[in-house]
Amino acid sequence: MRKTLIALMFAAALPTVAMAMPEGTGPMGDHMDGSRHSGQMHGMHGRGPYSQLDLSREQREQIRKIMGEQMHERQQLVDKYLEKLSPADQKALKDEMEAKHKKAEADVRALLKPDQQKQFDEIQKKQAERRAEWAEFKAWKAQQAQKAQ
């Protein structure tokens, strides 16, 4: 049980790394338009694990698609095993994951310069708005499904 929880926490935390990437960047750390900003770090490893491969725009887009699908499949797998936990364990796991995510965000923000912090805060606000819109859409969709029955 403990190993399962640890594996679930690890797998569930990985998508948050992707959310922390600046908008418009892919898994390679490049902007999707092919440009790079010197001196700025993208992704987890500076310029990304594929930056030295001299990929074409098409290759970067295909890799981005593959990585996105893999992340989606990983989330489905986590959800599958999360459903097997008791409601109390599910809530505890989600609460712990949320607390760790908030701490990581605060740690990242503390490393930034004031102008970067302002931009970081704006990005966080936009992401929160998108999550709220998505939750609203899912609720609306569930209502429509109930009305159809």
Side-chain angles (χ1 to χ4, degrees):
M1 179 73 141
R2 177 175 261 166
K3 288 181 182 179
T4 302
L5 286 174
I6 292 170
L8 282 171
M9 287 178 21
F10 178 73
L14 290 176
T16 61
V17 172
M19 289 177 24
M21 257 195 278
E23 248 182 66
T25 60
M28 291 68 61
D30 297 341
H31 279 270
M32 295 318 292
D33 63 1
S35 67
R36 295 178 198 212
H37 296 277
S38 60
Q40 290 184 350
M41 295 201 41
H42 295 287
M44 290 178 47
H45 305 288
R47 293 173 34 181
Y50 304 109
S51 64
Q52 298 176 2
L53 297 178
D54 193 30
L55 300 170
S56 70
R57 181 182 183 132
E58 182 179 318
Q59 288 172 315
R60 284 192 308 271
E61 289 174 1
Q62 289 172 344
I63 290 172
R64 180 177 171 265
K65 181 180 176 187
I66 290 168
M67 297 302 284
E69 289 171 357
Q70 188 266 339
M71 197 167 70
H72 178 73
E73 290 169 357
R74 182 184 319 122
Q75 185 62 45
Q76 288 179 326
L77 184 64
V78 168
D79 291 343
K80 176 178 140 181
Y81 285 97
L82 189 60
E83 290 173 2
K84 294 180 180 187
L85 297 175
S86 71
D89 285 340
Q90 286 180 16
K91 182 174 180 354
L93 178 62
K94 287 179 181 179
D95 290 347
E96 186 173 345
M97 286 171 38
E98 179 66 21
K100 288 184 183 291
H101 179 75
K102 294 261 188 224
K103 183 188 180 312
E105 284 181 346
D107 291 346
V108 167
R109 189 179 188 282
L111 294 173
L112 303 175
K113 296 175 186 174
D115 59 326
Q116 293 171 321
Q117 288 180 347
K118 183 178 178 182
Q119 186 178 8
F120 180 82
D121 293 342
E122 289 173 14
I123 291 168
Q124 296 296 95
K125 182 180 176 184
K126 287 179 184 177
Q127 288 178 340
E129 289 170 359
R130 280 185 279 196
R131 282 190 296 273
E133 287 175 4
W134 182 246
E136 185 179 326
F137 171 74
K138 286 175 27 179
W140 174 83
K141 190 175 178 181
Q143 284 179 340
Q144 297 303 315
Q146 287 178 346
K147 288 180 182 178
Q149 291 176 359

